[in-house]
């Protein structure tokens, strides 16, 4: 890919803010966007992130984004499964501690106010439905609250509130970045093309009955849904009498199981909310990587996501430079 010459650097007016949106495994595209901006000499002054955008945003604000990219490019399906610390489903299927530990390994400062760049994580107050912008305090707690997808991850208690995924109210936090002080906002929307593509590639559980994480079978991108089915099996393995009927339904009913229903519902909701919020709070530059084919837990496809984020941001930069050059003729 072409690198920009110093004289080609774009200079948006004033302070630049980056609004990193929700999108589960598609969120690795944020690293590609940041890489393209860095190569173009664009300095980011503020970062706000929702859900996976909060994960990448916190690492970027700590100055360790390069190290994170090196790690996620090495992720495979076995490692993804190891992050799924399934618990008794009282308020969520996954505890999230292992994911928090993963983020902690890449964000040295303990508190948000100690990060290199100003950063905010977006969450939702489960009781009031209000948006919660976390601007200070423990950065890992803030990220953990922002990624707590209802029904899947257990919520986070903070300052008397029960916090869940910020994507419920603000999937791409443009307004928050402006309130931080940004004059020019670059927003990354990962939800624009997911609805029509999410139903494809379902893997029947019956075809996976004899496959285990220790089987040595190479489960690549062509075995779509394997990680999801592993999660389903872990839920099925919980030994609790009240779940007996649920287990029977999950094993025999041709209808989508609870995990598929939750994910699909959240996809639909976040797509609608994203479109509405971007209309009400339009960014100065909107980046929409084409990643609707990536599934919720396909974090092992990082190279694909990063490349698409880079490509889309790079094409926008090239258009900006071309527009600037023509205006100066």
């Amino acid at each position: 890919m072409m690198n920009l010459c110093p004289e080609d650097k774009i200079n948006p007016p004033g302070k630049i803010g980056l609004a990193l949106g929700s999108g589960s495994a598609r969120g690795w595209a944020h690293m590609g966007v940041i890489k393209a901006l860095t190569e173009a000499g664009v300095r980011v002054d503020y970062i706000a992130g929702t859900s996976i955008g909060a994960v990448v945003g916190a690492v970027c604000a700590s100055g360790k984004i390069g190290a994170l990219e090196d790690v996620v490019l090495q992720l495979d399906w076995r490692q993804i499964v190891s992050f799924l610390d399934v618990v008794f489903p009282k308020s969520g299927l996954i505890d999230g501690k292992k994911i928090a530990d993963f983020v902690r390994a890449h964000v040295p400062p303990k508190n948000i106010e100690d990060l290199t760049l100003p950063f905010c994580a977006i969450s939702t107050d489960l009781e009031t439905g209000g948006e919660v912008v976390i601007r200070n305090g423990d950065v890992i707690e803030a990220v953990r609250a922002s990624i707590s997808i209802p029904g899947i991850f257990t919520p986070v208690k903070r300052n008397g509130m029960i916090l869940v995924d910020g994507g419920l109210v603000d999937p791409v936090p443009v307004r928050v970045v402006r309130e931080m002080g940004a004059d020019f906002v670059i927003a990354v929307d990962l939800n624009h093309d997911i609805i029509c593509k999410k139903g494809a590639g379902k893997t029947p559980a019956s075809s996976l009955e004899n496959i285990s994480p220790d089987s040595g079978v190479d489960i690549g991108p062509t075995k779509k849904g394997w990680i999801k089915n592993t999660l389903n099996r872990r839920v099925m393995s919980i030994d609790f009498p009240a779940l007996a009927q649920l287990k029977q339904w999950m094993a025999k009913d041709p209808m989508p199981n609870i995990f598929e229903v939750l994910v699909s519902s959240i996809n639909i909701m976040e797509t609608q909310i994203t479109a509405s919020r971007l209309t009400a709070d339009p960014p100065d530059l909107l980046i929409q990587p084409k990643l609707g084919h990536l599934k919720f837990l396909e974090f092992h496809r990082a190279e694909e996501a990063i490349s698409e984020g880079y490509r889309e941001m790079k094409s926008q930069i090239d258009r900006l430079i071309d527009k600037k050059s023509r205006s100066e003729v």
Side-chain angles (χ1 to χ4, degrees), residues 286-320:
L286 179 61
I287 308 300
Q288 295 181 310
K290 298 174 178 62
L291 291 168
H293 58 286
L294 288 191
K295 290 183 177 293
F296 178 74
L297 289 174
E298 291 185 325
F299 289 96
H300 57 297
R301 299 175 70 178
E303 183 174 4
E304 187 175 348
I306 293 171
S307 295
E308 174 58 17
Y310 180 92
R311 185 203 64 77
E312 185 63 24
M313 185 70 250
K314 184 69 169 59
S315 68
Q316 293 278 15
I317 290 174
D318 288 345
R319 282 194 286 271
L320 284 173

PDB file of all heavy atoms in Angstrom, residues 286-320:
ATOM      1  N   LEU A 286     -16.860   9.758   8.322  1.00  0.00           N
ATOM      2  CA  LEU A 286     -17.427   8.475   8.731  1.00  0.00           C
ATOM      3  C   LEU A 286     -16.716   7.333   8.005  1.00  0.00           C
ATOM      4  O   LEU A 286     -16.663   7.298   6.777  1.00  0.00           O
ATOM      5  CB  LEU A 286     -18.918   8.421   8.414  1.00  0.00           C
ATOM      6  CG  LEU A 286     -19.655   7.124   8.767  1.00  0.00           C
ATOM      7  CD1 LEU A 286     -19.579   6.842  10.261  1.00  0.00           C
ATOM      8  CD2 LEU A 286     -21.108   7.201   8.302  1.00  0.00           C
ATOM      9  N   ILE A 287     -16.177   6.394   8.788  1.00  0.00           N
ATOM     10  CA  ILE A 287     -15.483   5.230   8.244  1.00  0.00           C
ATOM     11  C   ILE A 287     -16.360   4.008   8.490  1.00  0.00           C
ATOM     12  O   ILE A 287     -16.750   3.729   9.614  1.00  0.00           O
ATOM     13  CB  ILE A 287     -14.107   5.028   8.927  1.00  0.00           C
ATOM     14  CG1 ILE A 287     -13.303   6.325   8.880  1.00  0.00           C
ATOM     15  CG2 ILE A 287     -13.350   3.884   8.282  1.00  0.00           C
ATOM     16  CD1 ILE A 287     -13.020   6.846   7.495  1.00  0.00           C
ATOM     17  N   GLN A 288     -16.660   3.257   7.422  1.00  0.00           N
ATOM     18  CA  GLN A 288     -17.534   2.084   7.520  1.00  0.00           C
ATOM     19  C   GLN A 288     -16.892   0.872   6.836  1.00  0.00           C
ATOM     20  O   GLN A 288     -17.200   0.542   5.694  1.00  0.00           O
ATOM     21  CB  GLN A 288     -18.902   2.381   6.899  1.00  0.00           C
ATOM     22  CG  GLN A 288     -19.687   3.446   7.653  1.00  0.00           C
ATOM     23  CD  GLN A 288     -21.052   3.706   7.050  1.00  0.00           C
ATOM     24  OE1 GLN A 288     -21.181   3.930   5.841  1.00  0.00           O
ATOM     25  NE2 GLN A 288     -22.089   3.670   7.880  1.00  0.00           N
ATOM     26  N   PRO A 289     -15.992   0.194   7.539  1.00  0.00           N
ATOM     27  CA  PRO A 289     -15.374  -1.015   6.981  1.00  0.00           C
ATOM     28  C   PRO A 289     -16.439  -2.060   6.638  1.00  0.00           C
ATOM     29  O   PRO A 289     -17.442  -2.188   7.336  1.00  0.00           O
ATOM     30  CB  PRO A 289     -14.467  -1.504   8.118  1.00  0.00           C
ATOM     31  CG  PRO A 289     -14.228  -0.294   8.961  1.00  0.00           C
ATOM     32  CD  PRO A 289     -15.493   0.492   8.888  1.00  0.00           C
ATOM     33  N   LYS A 290     -16.197  -2.786   5.572  1.00  0.00           N
ATOM     34  CA  LYS A 290     -17.159  -3.793   5.105  1.00  0.00           C
ATOM     35  C   LYS A 290     -16.819  -5.144   5.745  1.00  0.00           C
ATOM     36  O   LYS A 290     -16.067  -5.938   5.190  1.00  0.00           O
ATOM     37  CB  LYS A 290     -17.126  -3.862   3.583  1.00  0.00           C
ATOM     38  CG  LYS A 290     -17.527  -2.548   2.917  1.00  0.00           C
ATOM     39  CD  LYS A 290     -17.349  -2.597   1.411  1.00  0.00           C
ATOM     40  CE  LYS A 290     -17.803  -1.284   0.771  1.00  0.00           C
ATOM     41  NZ  LYS A 290     -17.003  -0.129   1.247  1.00  0.00           N
ATOM     42  N   LEU A 291     -17.411  -5.379   6.902  1.00  0.00           N
ATOM     43  CA  LEU A 291     -17.077  -6.574   7.680  1.00  0.00           C
ATOM     44  C   LEU A 291     -18.318  -7.300   8.190  1.00  0.00           C
ATOM     45  O   LEU A 291     -18.241  -8.062   9.155  1.00  0.00           O
ATOM     46  CB  LEU A 291     -16.182  -6.185   8.867  1.00  0.00           C
ATOM     47  CG  LEU A 291     -14.767  -5.729   8.502  1.00  0.00           C
ATOM     48  CD1 LEU A 291     -14.091  -5.095   9.707  1.00  0.00           C
ATOM     49  CD2 LEU A 291     -13.947  -6.897   7.984  1.00  0.00           C
ATOM     50  N   GLY A 292     -19.451  -7.087   7.539  1.00  0.00           N
ATOM     51  CA  GLY A 292     -20.676  -7.711   7.992  1.00  0.00           C
ATOM     52  C   GLY A 292     -20.655  -9.225   7.970  1.00  0.00           C
ATOM     53  O   GLY A 292     -21.450  -9.878   8.636  1.00  0.00           O
ATOM     54  N   HIS A 293     -19.721  -9.814   7.226  1.00  0.00           N
ATOM     55  CA  HIS A 293     -19.632 -11.269   7.141  1.00  0.00           C
ATOM     56  C   HIS A 293     -18.930 -11.888   8.348  1.00  0.00           C
ATOM     57  O   HIS A 293     -18.996 -13.097   8.542  1.00  0.00           O
ATOM     58  CB  HIS A 293     -18.873 -11.662   5.870  1.00  0.00           C
ATOM     59  CG  HIS A 293     -17.499 -11.081   5.796  1.00  0.00           C
ATOM     60  ND1 HIS A 293     -17.260  -9.752   5.522  1.00  0.00           N
ATOM     61  CD2 HIS A 293     -16.275 -11.645   5.986  1.00  0.00           C
ATOM     62  CE1 HIS A 293     -15.962  -9.512   5.537  1.00  0.00           C
ATOM     63  NE2 HIS A 293     -15.337 -10.652   5.824  1.00  0.00           N
ATOM     64  N   LEU A 294     -18.242 -11.066   9.164  1.00  0.00           N
ATOM     65  CA  LEU A 294     -17.564 -11.606  10.336  1.00  0.00           C
ATOM     66  C   LEU A 294     -18.567 -11.835  11.458  1.00  0.00           C
ATOM     67  O   LEU A 294     -19.376 -10.973  11.772  1.00  0.00           O
ATOM     68  CB  LEU A 294     -16.467 -10.651  10.833  1.00  0.00           C
ATOM     69  CG  LEU A 294     -15.205 -10.536   9.995  1.00  0.00           C
ATOM     70  CD1 LEU A 294     -14.150  -9.768  10.767  1.00  0.00           C
ATOM     71  CD2 LEU A 294     -14.676 -11.894   9.594  1.00  0.00           C
ATOM     72  N   LYS A 295     -18.469 -12.993  12.094  1.00  0.00           N
ATOM     73  CA  LYS A 295     -19.398 -13.328  13.153  1.00  0.00           C
ATOM     74  C   LYS A 295     -18.936 -12.781  14.501  1.00  0.00           C
ATOM     75  O   LYS A 295     -17.789 -12.373  14.673  1.00  0.00           O
ATOM     76  CB  LYS A 295     -19.588 -14.851  13.217  1.00  0.00           C
ATOM     77  CG  LYS A 295     -20.352 -15.399  12.014  1.00  0.00           C
ATOM     78  CD  LYS A 295     -20.587 -16.875  12.148  1.00  0.00           C
ATOM     79  CE  LYS A 295     -21.416 -17.392  10.973  1.00  0.00           C
ATOM     80  NZ  LYS A 295     -22.782 -16.849  10.996  1.00  0.00           N
ATOM     81  N   PHE A 296     -19.852 -12.824  15.448  1.00  0.00           N
ATOM     82  CA  PHE A 296     -19.707 -12.208  16.766  1.00  0.00           C
ATOM     83  C   PHE A 296     -18.399 -12.574  17.470  1.00  0.00           C
ATOM     84  O   PHE A 296     -17.720 -11.717  18.029  1.00  0.00           O
ATOM     85  CB  PHE A 296     -20.908 -12.648  17.613  1.00  0.00           C
ATOM     86  CG  PHE A 296     -20.902 -12.132  19.020  1.00  0.00           C
ATOM     87  CD1 PHE A 296     -21.194 -10.812  19.288  1.00  0.00           C
ATOM     88  CD2 PHE A 296     -20.623 -12.977  20.083  1.00  0.00           C
ATOM     89  CE1 PHE A 296     -21.203 -10.334  20.578  1.00  0.00           C
ATOM     90  CE2 PHE A 296     -20.633 -12.512  21.387  1.00  0.00           C
ATOM     91  CZ  PHE A 296     -20.926 -11.178  21.629  1.00  0.00           C
ATOM     92  N   LEU A 297     -18.004 -13.834  17.452  1.00  0.00           N
ATOM     93  CA  LEU A 297     -16.836 -14.284  18.215  1.00  0.00           C
ATOM     94  C   LEU A 297     -15.634 -14.650  17.347  1.00  0.00           C
ATOM     95  O   LEU A 297     -14.713 -15.289  17.834  1.00  0.00           O
ATOM     96  CB  LEU A 297     -17.217 -15.495  19.080  1.00  0.00           C
ATOM     97  CG  LEU A 297     -18.125 -15.203  20.281  1.00  0.00           C
ATOM     98  CD1 LEU A 297     -18.550 -16.500  20.957  1.00  0.00           C
ATOM     99  CD2 LEU A 297     -17.428 -14.292  21.279  1.00  0.00           C
ATOM    100  N   GLU A 298     -15.610 -14.217  16.112  1.00  0.00           N
ATOM    101  CA  GLU A 298     -14.507 -14.584  15.225  1.00  0.00           C
ATOM    102  C   GLU A 298     -13.316 -13.627  15.385  1.00  0.00           C
ATOM    103  O   GLU A 298     -12.806 -13.051  14.418  1.00  0.00           O
ATOM    104  CB  GLU A 298     -14.992 -14.650  13.774  1.00  0.00           C
ATOM    105  CG  GLU A 298     -15.930 -15.823  13.551  1.00  0.00           C
ATOM    106  CD  GLU A 298     -16.344 -15.995  12.100  1.00  0.00           C
ATOM    107  OE1 GLU A 298     -16.502 -14.987  11.388  1.00  0.00           O
ATOM    108  OE2 GLU A 298     -16.513 -17.142  11.671  1.00  0.00           O
ATOM    109  N   PHE A 299     -12.862 -13.513  16.625  1.00  0.00           N
ATOM    110  CA  PHE A 299     -11.738 -12.632  16.926  1.00  0.00           C
ATOM    111  C   PHE A 299     -10.428 -13.148  16.333  1.00  0.00           C
ATOM    112  O   PHE A 299      -9.453 -12.406  16.255  1.00  0.00           O
ATOM    113  CB  PHE A 299     -11.596 -12.471  18.443  1.00  0.00           C
ATOM    114  CG  PHE A 299     -12.688 -11.663  19.073  1.00  0.00           C
ATOM    115  CD1 PHE A 299     -13.786 -12.283  19.648  1.00  0.00           C
ATOM    116  CD2 PHE A 299     -12.628 -10.276  19.087  1.00  0.00           C
ATOM    117  CE1 PHE A 299     -14.805 -11.546  20.235  1.00  0.00           C
ATOM    118  CE2 PHE A 299     -13.638  -9.526  19.666  1.00  0.00           C
ATOM    119  CZ  PHE A 299     -14.731 -10.162  20.240  1.00  0.00           C
ATOM    120  N   HIS A 300     -10.398 -14.416  15.944  1.00  0.00           N
ATOM    121  CA  HIS A 300      -9.182 -14.985  15.359  1.00  0.00           C
ATOM    122  C   HIS A 300      -8.990 -14.543  13.911  1.00  0.00           C
ATOM    123  O   HIS A 300      -7.956 -14.841  13.314  1.00  0.00           O
ATOM    124  CB  HIS A 300      -9.232 -16.511  15.445  1.00  0.00           C
ATOM    125  CG  HIS A 300     -10.432 -17.119  14.793  1.00  0.00           C
ATOM    126  ND1 HIS A 300     -11.708 -16.872  15.234  1.00  0.00           N
ATOM    127  CD2 HIS A 300     -10.548 -17.954  13.728  1.00  0.00           C
ATOM    128  CE1 HIS A 300     -12.569 -17.531  14.476  1.00  0.00           C
ATOM    129  NE2 HIS A 300     -11.894 -18.185  13.557  1.00  0.00           N
ATOM    130  N   ARG A 301      -9.938 -13.815  13.351  1.00  0.00           N
ATOM    131  CA  ARG A 301      -9.819 -13.315  11.977  1.00  0.00           C
ATOM    132  C   ARG A 301      -9.352 -11.849  11.991  1.00  0.00           C
ATOM    133  O   ARG A 301      -9.813 -11.010  11.232  1.00  0.00           O
ATOM    134  CB  ARG A 301     -11.147 -13.466  11.247  1.00  0.00           C
ATOM    135  CG  ARG A 301     -11.591 -14.915  11.156  1.00  0.00           C
ATOM    136  CD  ARG A 301     -12.966 -15.086  10.543  1.00  0.00           C
ATOM    137  NE  ARG A 301     -12.972 -14.769   9.111  1.00  0.00           N
ATOM    138  CZ  ARG A 301     -14.050 -14.889   8.341  1.00  0.00           C
ATOM    139  NH1 ARG A 301     -15.190 -15.324   8.853  1.00  0.00           N
ATOM    140  NH2 ARG A 301     -13.984 -14.580   7.060  1.00  0.00           N
ATOM    141  N   ALA A 302      -8.396 -11.584  12.871  1.00  0.00           N
ATOM    142  CA  ALA A 302      -7.928 -10.209  13.087  1.00  0.00           C
ATOM    143  C   ALA A 302      -7.280  -9.613  11.843  1.00  0.00           C
ATOM    144  O   ALA A 302      -7.482  -8.432  11.535  1.00  0.00           O
ATOM    145  CB  ALA A 302      -6.950 -10.175  14.257  1.00  0.00           C
ATOM    146  N   GLU A 303      -6.494 -10.398  11.135  1.00  0.00           N
ATOM    147  CA  GLU A 303      -5.795  -9.860   9.964  1.00  0.00           C
ATOM    148  C   GLU A 303      -6.783  -9.316   8.938  1.00  0.00           C
ATOM    149  O   GLU A 303      -6.583  -8.238   8.361  1.00  0.00           O
ATOM    150  CB  GLU A 303      -4.925 -10.939   9.324  1.00  0.00           C
ATOM    151  CG  GLU A 303      -4.112 -10.437   8.136  1.00  0.00           C
ATOM    152  CD  GLU A 303      -3.150 -11.480   7.593  1.00  0.00           C
ATOM    153  OE1 GLU A 303      -3.172 -12.625   8.089  1.00  0.00           O
ATOM    154  OE2 GLU A 303      -2.378 -11.144   6.676  1.00  0.00           O
ATOM    155  N   GLU A 304      -7.862 -10.041   8.735  1.00  0.00           N
ATOM    156  CA  GLU A 304      -8.900  -9.624   7.801  1.00  0.00           C
ATOM    157  C   GLU A 304      -9.553  -8.319   8.251  1.00  0.00           C
ATOM    158  O   GLU A 304      -9.749  -7.392   7.453  1.00  0.00           O
ATOM    159  CB  GLU A 304      -9.936 -10.743   7.716  1.00  0.00           C
ATOM    160  CG  GLU A 304     -11.006 -10.567   6.679  1.00  0.00           C
ATOM    161  CD  GLU A 304     -11.916 -11.787   6.598  1.00  0.00           C
ATOM    162  OE1 GLU A 304     -11.565 -12.839   7.177  1.00  0.00           O
ATOM    163  OE2 GLU A 304     -12.983 -11.660   5.980  1.00  0.00           O
ATOM    164  N   ALA A 305      -9.889  -8.233   9.536  1.00  0.00           N
ATOM    165  CA  ALA A 305     -10.551  -7.039  10.062  1.00  0.00           C
ATOM    166  C   ALA A 305      -9.620  -5.826  10.028  1.00  0.00           C
ATOM    167  O   ALA A 305     -10.023  -4.724   9.631  1.00  0.00           O
ATOM    168  CB  ALA A 305     -11.034  -7.292  11.485  1.00  0.00           C
ATOM    169  N   ILE A 306      -8.376  -6.013  10.464  1.00  0.00           N
ATOM    170  CA  ILE A 306      -7.410  -4.906  10.467  1.00  0.00           C
ATOM    171  C   ILE A 306      -7.167  -4.398   9.053  1.00  0.00           C
ATOM    172  O   ILE A 306      -7.143  -3.184   8.800  1.00  0.00           O
ATOM    173  CB  ILE A 306      -6.083  -5.355  11.118  1.00  0.00           C
ATOM    174  CG1 ILE A 306      -6.289  -5.629  12.618  1.00  0.00           C
ATOM    175  CG2 ILE A 306      -4.997  -4.290  10.931  1.00  0.00           C
ATOM    176  CD1 ILE A 306      -5.097  -6.278  13.294  1.00  0.00           C
ATOM    177  N   SER A 307      -7.015  -5.301   8.110  1.00  0.00           N
ATOM    178  CA  SER A 307      -6.757  -4.917   6.717  1.00  0.00           C
ATOM    179  C   SER A 307      -7.917  -4.119   6.138  1.00  0.00           C
ATOM    180  O   SER A 307      -7.705  -3.133   5.420  1.00  0.00           O
ATOM    181  CB  SER A 307      -6.508  -6.161   5.857  1.00  0.00           C
ATOM    182  OG  SER A 307      -5.331  -6.825   6.267  1.00  0.00           O
ATOM    183  N   GLU A 308      -9.148  -4.524   6.452  1.00  0.00           N
ATOM    184  CA  GLU A 308     -10.310  -3.812   5.928  1.00  0.00           C
ATOM    185  C   GLU A 308     -10.446  -2.435   6.570  1.00  0.00           C
ATOM    186  O   GLU A 308     -10.778  -1.453   5.891  1.00  0.00           O
ATOM    187  CB  GLU A 308     -11.579  -4.631   6.147  1.00  0.00           C
ATOM    188  CG  GLU A 308     -12.874  -3.931   5.768  1.00  0.00           C
ATOM    189  CD  GLU A 308     -12.945  -3.481   4.316  1.00  0.00           C
ATOM    190  OE1 GLU A 308     -12.153  -3.970   3.488  1.00  0.00           O
ATOM    191  OE2 GLU A 308     -13.793  -2.632   4.008  1.00  0.00           O
ATOM    192  N   GLY A 309     -10.159  -2.328   7.875  1.00  0.00           N
ATOM    193  CA  GLY A 309     -10.179  -1.024   8.518  1.00  0.00           C
ATOM    194  C   GLY A 309      -9.132  -0.092   7.929  1.00  0.00           C
ATOM    195  O   GLY A 309      -9.395   1.088   7.682  1.00  0.00           O
ATOM    196  N   TYR A 310      -7.943  -0.640   7.688  1.00  0.00           N
ATOM    197  CA  TYR A 310      -6.857   0.139   7.071  1.00  0.00           C
ATOM    198  C   TYR A 310      -7.258   0.584   5.670  1.00  0.00           C
ATOM    199  O   TYR A 310      -7.076   1.748   5.293  1.00  0.00           O
ATOM    200  CB  TYR A 310      -5.595  -0.712   7.020  1.00  0.00           C
ATOM    201  CG  TYR A 310      -4.393  -0.011   6.397  1.00  0.00           C
ATOM    202  CD1 TYR A 310      -3.493   0.682   7.191  1.00  0.00           C
ATOM    203  CD2 TYR A 310      -4.179  -0.048   5.020  1.00  0.00           C
ATOM    204  CE1 TYR A 310      -2.393   1.328   6.627  1.00  0.00           C
ATOM    205  CE2 TYR A 310      -3.090   0.594   4.445  1.00  0.00           C
ATOM    206  CZ  TYR A 310      -2.200   1.281   5.250  1.00  0.00           C
ATOM    207  OH  TYR A 310      -1.133   1.922   4.683  1.00  0.00           O
ATOM    208  N   ARG A 311      -7.799  -0.350   4.885  1.00  0.00           N
ATOM    209  CA  ARG A 311      -8.173  -0.038   3.499  1.00  0.00           C
ATOM    210  C   ARG A 311      -9.209   1.072   3.438  1.00  0.00           C
ATOM    211  O   ARG A 311      -9.089   2.016   2.644  1.00  0.00           O
ATOM    212  CB  ARG A 311      -8.720  -1.297   2.822  1.00  0.00           C
ATOM    213  CG  ARG A 311      -9.034  -1.127   1.339  1.00  0.00           C
ATOM    214  CD  ARG A 311     -10.044  -2.124   0.850  1.00  0.00           C
ATOM    215  NE  ARG A 311     -11.350  -1.930   1.499  1.00  0.00           N
ATOM    216  CZ  ARG A 311     -12.187  -0.965   1.170  1.00  0.00           C
ATOM    217  NH1 ARG A 311     -11.879  -0.084   0.216  1.00  0.00           N
ATOM    218  NH2 ARG A 311     -13.339  -0.845   1.808  1.00  0.00           N
ATOM    219  N   GLU A 312     -10.229   0.973   4.284  1.00  0.00           N
ATOM    220  CA  GLU A 312     -11.302   1.959   4.242  1.00  0.00           C
ATOM    221  C   GLU A 312     -10.806   3.332   4.698  1.00  0.00           C
ATOM    222  O   GLU A 312     -11.130   4.356   4.086  1.00  0.00           O
ATOM    223  CB  GLU A 312     -12.459   1.493   5.119  1.00  0.00           C
ATOM    224  CG  GLU A 312     -13.691   2.384   5.073  1.00  0.00           C
ATOM    225  CD  GLU A 312     -14.328   2.450   3.695  1.00  0.00           C
ATOM    226  OE1 GLU A 312     -14.137   1.525   2.888  1.00  0.00           O
ATOM    227  OE2 GLU A 312     -15.016   3.461   3.423  1.00  0.00           O
ATOM    228  N   MET A 313     -10.008   3.383   5.773  1.00  0.00           N
ATOM    229  CA  MET A 313      -9.474   4.658   6.236  1.00  0.00           C
ATOM    230  C   MET A 313      -8.517   5.247   5.215  1.00  0.00           C
ATOM    231  O   MET A 313      -8.534   6.457   4.959  1.00  0.00           O
ATOM    232  CB  MET A 313      -8.752   4.448   7.574  1.00  0.00           C
ATOM    233  CG  MET A 313      -8.243   5.740   8.234  1.00  0.00           C
ATOM    234  SD  MET A 313      -9.539   6.822   8.867  1.00  0.00           S
ATOM    235  CE  MET A 313      -9.436   8.193   7.712  1.00  0.00           C
ATOM    236  N   LYS A 314      -7.701   4.404   4.615  1.00  0.00           N
ATOM    237  CA  LYS A 314      -6.734   4.859   3.612  1.00  0.00           C
ATOM    238  C   LYS A 314      -7.441   5.457   2.411  1.00  0.00           C
ATOM    239  O   LYS A 314      -7.015   6.499   1.872  1.00  0.00           O
ATOM    240  CB  LYS A 314      -5.861   3.675   3.184  1.00  0.00           C
ATOM    241  CG  LYS A 314      -4.742   4.047   2.203  1.00  0.00           C
ATOM    242  CD  LYS A 314      -3.694   4.903   2.889  1.00  0.00           C
ATOM    243  CE  LYS A 314      -2.467   5.032   1.987  1.00  0.00           C
ATOM    244  NZ  LYS A 314      -2.759   5.622   0.674  1.00  0.00           N
ATOM    245  N   SER A 315      -8.524   4.841   1.957  1.00  0.00           N
ATOM    246  CA  SER A 315      -9.252   5.361   0.803  1.00  0.00           C
ATOM    247  C   SER A 315      -9.872   6.717   1.115  1.00  0.00           C
ATOM    248  O   SER A 315      -9.924   7.600   0.251  1.00  0.00           O
ATOM    249  CB  SER A 315     -10.330   4.369   0.355  1.00  0.00           C
ATOM    250  OG  SER A 315     -11.360   4.260   1.328  1.00  0.00           O
ATOM    251  N   GLN A 316     -10.331   6.897   2.356  1.00  0.00           N
ATOM    252  CA  GLN A 316     -10.899   8.181   2.752  1.00  0.00           C
ATOM    253  C   GLN A 316      -9.818   9.260   2.801  1.00  0.00           C
ATOM    254  O   GLN A 316     -10.040  10.399   2.397  1.00  0.00           O
ATOM    255  CB  GLN A 316     -11.570   8.050   4.120  1.00  0.00           C
ATOM    256  CG  GLN A 316     -12.804   7.175   4.138  1.00  0.00           C
ATOM    257  CD  GLN A 316     -14.051   7.904   3.664  1.00  0.00           C
ATOM    258  OE1 GLN A 316     -13.977   8.974   3.052  1.00  0.00           O
ATOM    259  NE2 GLN A 316     -15.201   7.337   3.947  1.00  0.00           N
ATOM    260  N   ILE A 317      -8.657   8.908   3.306  1.00  0.00           N
ATOM    261  CA  ILE A 317      -7.543   9.858   3.346  1.00  0.00           C
ATOM    262  C   ILE A 317      -7.138  10.268   1.937  1.00  0.00           C
ATOM    263  O   ILE A 317      -6.911  11.452   1.655  1.00  0.00           O
ATOM    264  CB  ILE A 317      -6.336   9.251   4.093  1.00  0.00           C
ATOM    265  CG1 ILE A 317      -6.648   9.143   5.590  1.00  0.00           C
ATOM    266  CG2 ILE A 317      -5.072  10.099   3.877  1.00  0.00           C
ATOM    267  CD1 ILE A 317      -5.578   8.424   6.383  1.00  0.00           C
ATOM    268  N   ASP A 318      -7.060   9.300   1.031  1.00  0.00           N
ATOM    269  CA  ASP A 318      -6.699   9.600  -0.352  1.00  0.00           C
ATOM    270  C   ASP A 318      -7.707  10.550  -0.990  1.00  0.00           C
ATOM    271  O   ASP A 318      -7.341  11.473  -1.727  1.00  0.00           O
ATOM    272  CB  ASP A 318      -6.606   8.307  -1.173  1.00  0.00           C
ATOM    273  CG  ASP A 318      -5.374   7.487  -0.821  1.00  0.00           C
ATOM    274  OD1 ASP A 318      -4.461   8.034  -0.172  1.00  0.00           O
ATOM    275  OD2 ASP A 318      -5.328   6.300  -1.196  1.00  0.00           O
ATOM    276  N   ARG A 319      -9.007  10.341  -0.694  1.00  0.00           N
ATOM    277  CA  ARG A 319     -10.032  11.227  -1.243  1.00  0.00           C
ATOM    278  C   ARG A 319      -9.905  12.630  -0.659  1.00  0.00           C
ATOM    279  O   ARG A 319     -10.087  13.634  -1.357  1.00  0.00           O
ATOM    280  CB  ARG A 319     -11.426  10.654  -0.972  1.00  0.00           C
ATOM    281  CG  ARG A 319     -11.808   9.512  -1.910  1.00  0.00           C
ATOM    282  CD  ARG A 319     -13.303   9.216  -1.829  1.00  0.00           C
ATOM    283  NE  ARG A 319     -13.652   8.539  -0.601  1.00  0.00           N
ATOM    284  CZ  ARG A 319     -13.645   7.215  -0.449  1.00  0.00           C
ATOM    285  NH1 ARG A 319     -13.283   6.446  -1.462  1.00  0.00           N
ATOM    286  NH2 ARG A 319     -13.994   6.671   0.691  1.00  0.00           N
ATOM    287  N   LEU A 320      -9.588  12.725   0.637  1.00  0.00           N
ATOM    288  CA  LEU A 320      -9.408  14.027   1.260  1.00  0.00           C
ATOM    289  C   LEU A 320      -8.232  14.784   0.646  1.00  0.00           C
ATOM    290  O   LEU A 320      -8.299  15.976   0.373  1.00  0.00           O
ATOM    291  CB  LEU A 320      -9.188  13.858   2.764  1.00  0.00           C
ATOM    292  CG  LEU A 320     -10.413  13.550   3.614  1.00  0.00           C
ATOM    293  CD1 LEU A 320      -9.993  13.252   5.039  1.00  0.00           C
ATOM    294  CD2 LEU A 320     -11.404  14.699   3.588  1.00  0.00           C
TER     295      LEU A 320
END
